[in-house]
Amino acid sequence: MEISMDARTFSLLFFLIFSTLASSKACHPVDREALLDFKHKITDDPSKLLHSWKVSSDCCTSWEGVACDGSGRVVNVSRPGLLSGDDFIEDTYMSGTLSPYLGNLSSLRILDLSNLKDLKGPIPEELGKLSKLTHLFLDTNKLTGSIPFTLRYFSQLEKMYLSDNLLSGIVPSSVMESWTSVSELGLSGNALSGPIPPTIGKLVMVTKLDLHGNNFTGRIPTGFGNLKNLRYLDLSENQITGSIPQSIGGLAALELLYLNQNQLTGRIPSSISGLDSMIFCRISENRLSGSLPPSIGQLSKVQRLILENNKLTGKLPASIGHLTALTDIFFSNNYFTGKIPPSFGNLLNLQTLDLSRNRLSGQLPPQLAKLKSLQSLDLSYNPVGLGRIPNWFQELRVFQLMLANTGIEGELPHWLSSSSVSKLDLSGNALTGKLPWWIGNMTGLSFLNLSNNGFHSSIPVEFKNLSLLMDLDLHSNNFSGRVNVIFSKEVQTPLGHFNSIDLSSNMFTGPIEDDIGGRPAMSSISSLVLSHNKLGGSLPKSIGKMRELQVLKLVNTGLSGMIPEELGDAKELSTILLSRNKLTGAIPEIVINLKELKQFDVSSNRLRGRIPPHKAIIPVSAFKNNPGLCGTPLPPCKHF
């Protein structure tokens, strides 16, 4: 539904060429003066968009981006910062302000100064004199101030985009109600505030309305139900309160609805069934409550239904099974109860089913095995009491399988070895036994989370075959054996380099090999958590080679020796936790002064010497139980 720049550019260029051919008289002096004053207020024009605007030439025939009618009056000024065609993209900017003299272009129909990025200052009130204006594009600039009251005189306005500026203040009701010819209105990405004017219900011609990303408050006006031609409505990312009005059911032409990230309360009205044309519905991140109306099953064209992060309750309506066009269901983080309806097995086009973080219980319907298009299934954090993963799961072809905290017991099912799963989360269950050798056959794995279970084995050598694995979480198990087998994993450049590893709270042994920072799998890791293992040895200098490392946690791992200065070469480090070890020597100044450092803890070690001066705010507790340390924030040093 977004207007493509190509379509907009084509229509404006056509109008420009046609108008230029029709022009037979020289540019009107009033229009020439207005445009020259606009150029005068432009302080930087790197691509010379206004280079052809010269006093010595005719603005109707020689000035790029300007078109006139047969009487020599300017009807089109189009100098956007983003212009694209079949084989080119021109992207530039223009600095300066909008000249009030633009209001003297009394025959102007199209003004396009969009995407210039650096136009500043207010929208001149004088623009309100452009009574013939049909298209106004000032989006993607740095315009400030409020929407001028004078814009109520835009009685012929068809399309207006003021999006992505720094506009503030309220939208006056009298201005809104005068735009009765508007088909597209974009005010998104500003700081507009106050209620949405109730007169918005008079924009009966509007097909696209985008107000997202502002500070609008108050309720959704009931007058929205009058907008029978509306196809695209985006009120997301505001502070709108109250309930969704029943009148919304009158929007029979609406295809895309975004109400997410507001403060809406109350029930989803049963009148939602009137949205016959709905394709995309997102009303997530609100405070909606009550049960889903069974009438939701009448949205026969809906493809994506996103209701996550609300307070919805009750059972999932079986009528959802009628929505056979559905490709995505996102219902996570609500309070839904009861069983998953067997009718969900009718959703043969479904690709994503996310019911995580609810209160669903009971046996999973085997009818879900019919969902051959399903790519992502997330039932995590529901008290479904799975026991064992049903065998019919192997009939699915999912790439993402998330069953965290669903009551799974026993060992990993062998059918996983021949599955196509790329993201597997079975954390927070009661899985036991060994990590099987066939885990190495799951070569498509990119994410593996088996944390908070009861595994009790070493990592099989076949683990090295997981050449696409990027995120690994095995914390809080009873894994044992050498830790380095994980760091030696194969990669498929550019894929398969670790992003995060969490092996904490196990019984892994070390020491960590000296060349860990040079291992291919570790070249781009951002988080390395190995706390509460029996690693021993020293902290390898090569960790400094991990140039993207942000989090390093090695609490209670038996480390000894000194903190290497080379650790300061990992410039992105923001968290360094090395407490409860046997580290000796001084704290390197380069390490404690890392630019991104936010959290640092070396307490309960055997460190000595003055704590180097540092900019990061580090509490006293981060240095305690090091008898040889002194200096701020500890007591002053006596012998240094």
Side-chain angles (χ1 to χ4, degrees):
M1 285 299 296
E2 294 286 348
I3 294 180
S4 71
M5 186 56 63
D6 290 347
R8 180 193 292 182
T9 302
F10 177 80
S11 62
L12 293 182
L13 286 177
F14 179 82
F15 185 89
L16 184 66
I17 294 169
F18 178 81
S19 300
T20 302
L21 292 174
S23 178
S24 58
K25 291 189 178 182
C27 182
H28 195 283
V30 171
D31 293 355
R32 174 195 294 272
E33 180 186 13
L35 294 177
L36 287 174
D37 192 75
F38 169 68
K39 180 180 180 180
H40 178 70
K41 287 182 167 54
I42 297 301
T43 57
D44 195 9
D45 180 14
S47 293
K48 298 182 178 181
L49 293 177
L50 307 180
H51 182 69
S52 62
W53 293 23
K54 298 177 179 178
V55 177
S56 59
S57 59
D58 182 67
C59 73
C60 289
T61 58
S62 302
W63 292 14
E64 292 181 1
V66 177
C68 303
D69 61 15
S71 64
R73 299 310 302 259
V74 172
V75 293
N76 186 331
V77 177
S78 297
R79 293 280 77 192
L82 184 62
L83 195 65
S84 60
D86 293 337
D87 57 354
F88 74 94
I89 296 179
E90 181 182 350
D91 190 7
T92 186
Y93 71 93
M94 198 185 284
S95 299
T97 58
L98 292 174
S99 169
Y101 279 74
L102 289 172
N104 293 339
L105 300 173
S106 57
S107 294
L108 193 65
R109 299 177 192 171
I110 296 175
L111 178 59
D112 186 357
L113 300 174
S114 62
N115 258 296
L116 291 170
K117 290 91 173 173
D118 206 32
L119 285 184
K120 300 178 180 178
I123 298 173
E125 292 183 358
E126 289 80 359
L127 291 192
K129 296 190 293 182
L130 303 177
S131 59
K132 295 182 180 180
L133 200 67
T134 60
H135 294 69
L136 177 61
F137 304 124
L138 298 177
D139 47 292
T140 317
N141 283 292
K142 296 178 182 176
L143 299 173
T144 54
S146 59
I147 295 176
F149 189 72
T150 55
L151 298 195
R152 70 185 186 277
Y153 299 120
F154 286 169
S155 59
Q156 298 185 42
L157 192 67
E158 296 175 9
K159 297 182 182 181
M160 181 168 75
Y161 284 84
L162 305 179
S163 308
D164 300 313
N165 278 287
L166 303 171
L167 300 173
S168 57
I170 65 169
V171 180
S173 285
S174 59
V175 172
M176 184 74 78
E177 70 179 341
S178 65
W179 297 336
T180 53
S181 299
V182 166
S183 64
E184 296 182 8
L185 178 61
L187 303 178
S188 63
N190 283 289
L192 298 169
S193 58
I196 298 172
T199 52
I200 202 165
K202 295 188 177 182
L203 307 186
V204 292
M205 302 298 293
V206 72
T207 61
K208 178 175 180 179
L209 185 59
D210 189 353
L211 306 182
H212 89 267
N214 281 287
N215 297 316
F216 287 115
T217 55
R219 292 176 170 267
I220 299 174
T222 57
F224 267 105
N226 300 329
L227 308 181
K228 305 300 183 183
N229 295 303
L230 192 60
R231 295 165 54 197
Y232 179 109
L233 175 61
D234 192 348
L235 304 180
S236 65
E237 299 175 49
N238 280 289
Q239 300 174 38
I240 300 171
T241 55
S243 58
I244 300 172
Q246 285 281 348
S247 61
I248 200 169
L251 304 181
L254 194 66
E255 298 176 2
L256 292 96
L257 174 64
Y258 298 84
L259 300 178
N260 51 294
Q261 289 177 263
N262 279 289
Q263 299 174 29
L264 295 170
T265 54
R267 293 174 173 268
I268 296 174
S270 58
S271 63
I272 195 172
S273 59
L275 305 180
D276 298 331
S277 302
M278 178 76 71
I279 296 174
F280 189 111
C281 177
R282 182 172 184 180
I283 52 179
S284 54
E285 292 91 33
N286 279 288
R287 301 172 186 174
L288 297 169
S289 58
S291 56
L292 280 181
S295 60
I296 200 170
Q298 297 179 38
L299 304 178
S300 59
K301 296 181 181 178
V302 71
Q303 296 175 14
R304 306 194 75 195
L305 202 50
I306 305 176
L307 309 179
E308 60 193 7
N309 298 313
N310 278 289
K311 298 181 178 181
L312 298 169
T313 58
K315 296 182 177 181
L316 297 172
S319 60
I320 290 178
H322 300 152
L323 306 179
T324 54
L326 269 174
T327 60
D328 299 277
I329 291 178
F330 292 93
F331 286 1
S332 68
N333 202 25
N334 280 286
Y335 301 110
F336 290 120
T337 55
K339 296 182 179 181
I340 300 172
S343 61
F344 275 39
N346 299 331
L347 307 177
L348 301 184
N349 291 304
L350 200 64
Q351 298 174 21
T352 303
L353 178 58
D354 186 353
L355 302 176
S356 62
R357 300 181 187 276
N358 279 285
R359 297 175 179 177
L360 298 170
S361 58
Q363 187 176 4
L364 299 183
Q367 289 85 350
L368 296 183
K370 296 189 295 182
L371 304 181
K372 304 303 182 184
S373 297
L374 198 64
Q375 298 178 14
S376 177
L377 175 62
D378 193 348
L379 303 178
S380 299
Y381 302 98
N382 280 288
V384 288
L386 279 182
R388 294 185 179 271
I389 302 176
N391 284 332
W392 56 259
F393 266 57
Q394 59 189 303
E395 299 177 35
L396 299 173
R397 303 167 188 168
V398 293
F399 295 109
Q400 299 185 19
L401 179 61
M402 282 78 79
L403 299 173
N405 283 77
T406 51
I408 303 172
E409 303 172 352
E411 299 183 350
L412 284 178
H414 192 278
W415 57 261
L416 280 172
S417 64
S418 57
S419 72
S420 56
V421 173
S422 171
K423 182 176 182 179
L424 180 63
D425 186 353
L426 300 177
S427 61
N429 284 295
L431 289 164
T432 57
K434 297 181 178 181
L435 187 65
W437 64 268
W438 50 254
I439 194 77
N441 293 344
M442 299 183 68
T443 52
L445 273 180
S446 63
F447 177 102
L448 177 61
N449 188 349
L450 300 177
S451 64
N452 281 296
N453 278 288
F455 289 105
H456 53 81
S457 70
S458 58
I459 304 298
V461 66
E462 289 84 0
F463 184 89
K464 68 179 182 179
N465 298 332
L466 304 183
S467 56
L468 296 178
L469 189 64
M470 294 183 289
D471 293 279
L472 175 66
D473 190 348
L474 302 179
H475 84 265
S476 302
N477 279 282
N478 295 308
F479 284 112
S480 58
R482 299 296 296 272
V483 73
N484 293 292
V485 64
I486 293 172
F487 310 142
S488 303
K489 180 187 73 70
E490 296 173 357
V491 299
Q492 284 188 29
T493 301
L495 303 175
H497 301 268
F498 277 121
N499 175 58
S500 65
I501 296 176
D502 189 347
L503 307 179
S504 60
S505 300
N506 279 286
M507 295 185 290
F508 285 115
T509 55
I512 304 171
E513 294 183 1
D514 291 340
D515 65 345
I516 181 175
R519 301 284 176 89
M522 307 296 286
S523 62
S524 58
I525 192 166
S526 63
S527 178
L528 179 60
V529 181
L530 305 177
S531 300
H532 308 295
N533 282 288
K534 302 174 182 179
L535 302 181
S538 58
L539 191 60
K541 296 178 181 179
S542 65
I543 290 180
K545 296 180 180 180
M546 300 177 183
R547 299 304 164 87
E548 297 182 34
L549 189 64
Q550 299 174 23
V551 175
L552 178 64
K553 297 182 181 181
L554 288 162
V555 176
N556 188 28
T557 52
L559 288 175
S560 58
M562 302 178 70
I563 300 174
E565 288 194 358
E566 288 82 356
L567 189 60
D569 294 333
K571 303 295 185 184
E572 299 299 316
L573 272 171
S574 61
T575 297
I576 301 175
L577 304 184
L578 302 174
S579 60
R580 297 173 60 188
N581 284 295
K582 303 172 185 178
L583 297 170
T584 57
I587 299 173
E589 184 172 355
I590 189 175
V591 174
I592 201 171
N593 280 291
L594 281 163
K595 186 177 179 181
E596 302 297 328
L597 194 63
K598 301 290 189 301
Q599 193 176 7
F600 182 79
D601 192 342
V602 291
S603 60
S604 300
N605 277 284
R606 302 171 184 176
L607 299 170
R608 301 185 61 81
R610 183 191 302 273
I611 298 172
H614 50 276
K615 295 180 180 179
I617 300 174
I618 303 173
V620 175
S621 60
F623 302 101
K624 69 179 183 180
N625 296 330
N626 284 281
L629 278 183
C630 58
T632 307
L634 295 178
C637 297
K638 297 179 180 179
H639 306 294
F640 296 95

